[in-house]
Amino acid sequence: MSDARINPSILAADFVNMQADLARIANADFVHVDVMDNHFVPNLTFGPQMVQRIQETSPVPLDVHLMITDADRWAPGYAELGAASVTFHLEAAEHPVALARRLRQIGSRAGVAVKPTTAVEPLFDVLDEFDQILVMTVEPGFGGQSFLADQLPKLTRLYDEARRRGSQVWLQVDGGISESTIARAAAAGADTFVAGSAVFGAADPDAAIAALRARAASAHRH
């Protein structure tokens, strides 16, 4: 694998000084933007207007993670804002393959996410309909939670199936990612990592990103 992708989560950024915090992660691969509606998850963040402003000011592309109900209706709007990647939850989509195709048609990468209690096996036959599969290693809704190591076998099953099928799908992990957990996620098969406080809580976010990337790249399965 080439360098691991590190996507800092703005849930851990300073919302009042967002532009300044975004400037501190210019060496990230993407910025991870969590959209929550207080229905699908018990938290409320922001919607299209805020995402549009982040899009206009971010030095790196946007990786939007929609933790919202009725993804079929709302997800395409985020692709239309220019987000490089839009991920919706499998549990919140009536027609996930059709939605992924719509996102790609608009020009975004299409991702699908699964909660800790959701099996990944139903995705095996449609891997190439998605550009990214996100395995949550916390219950979605809040930053700063502890890493759920019992989700790592899901990543390994996805990795093995993708290899077997020759799929180029990215395997993303989100939740509790730090220097102490990223190697385990990489060893399980992840190649794209969402990190919040491990980046924005560091004195030097750029150095933290570089350290996470190096640690993941050295541990990744081959």
Side-chain angles (χ1 to χ4, degrees), residues 90 112 119-130 133 135 153-167 169 171:
L90 184 64
V112 64
V120 294
E121 283 72 15
L123 293 171
F124 285 0
D125 286 337
V126 290
L127 285 181
D128 281 338
E129 297 286 353
F130 305 100
I133 297 175
V135 172
K154 280 188 189 177
L155 282 165
T156 300
R157 292 196 296 275
L158 283 166
Y159 177 87
D160 289 342
E161 189 68 16
R163 284 286 290 258
R164 189 178 74 81
R165 294 173 182 260
S167 173
V169 67
L171 299 181

Side-chain angles (χ1 to χ4, degrees), residues 34-41 43-48 64-78 86-93 99 115 140:
D34 290 301
V35 175
M36 308 184 196
D37 64 359
N38 208 29
H39 294 283
F40 183 71
V41 292
N43 195 6
L44 183 67
T45 52
F46 34 72
V64 176
H65 176 195
L66 300 177
M67 290 175 258
I68 62 174
T69 54
D70 201 2
D72 304 78
R73 177 181 179 186
W74 299 111
Y78 288 90
V86 176
T87 295
F88 59 88
H89 268 265
L90 184 64
E91 305 89 356
L99 178 54
K115 289 182 175 182

Side-chain angles (χ1 to χ4, degrees), residues 113-114 120 133-137 151 154-155 158 172-174:
V114 290
V120 294
I133 297 175
L134 168 53
V135 172
M136 295 297 298
T137 44
Q151 298 303 300
K154 280 188 189 177
L155 282 165
L158 283 166
Q172 186 178 59
V173 62
D174 180 4

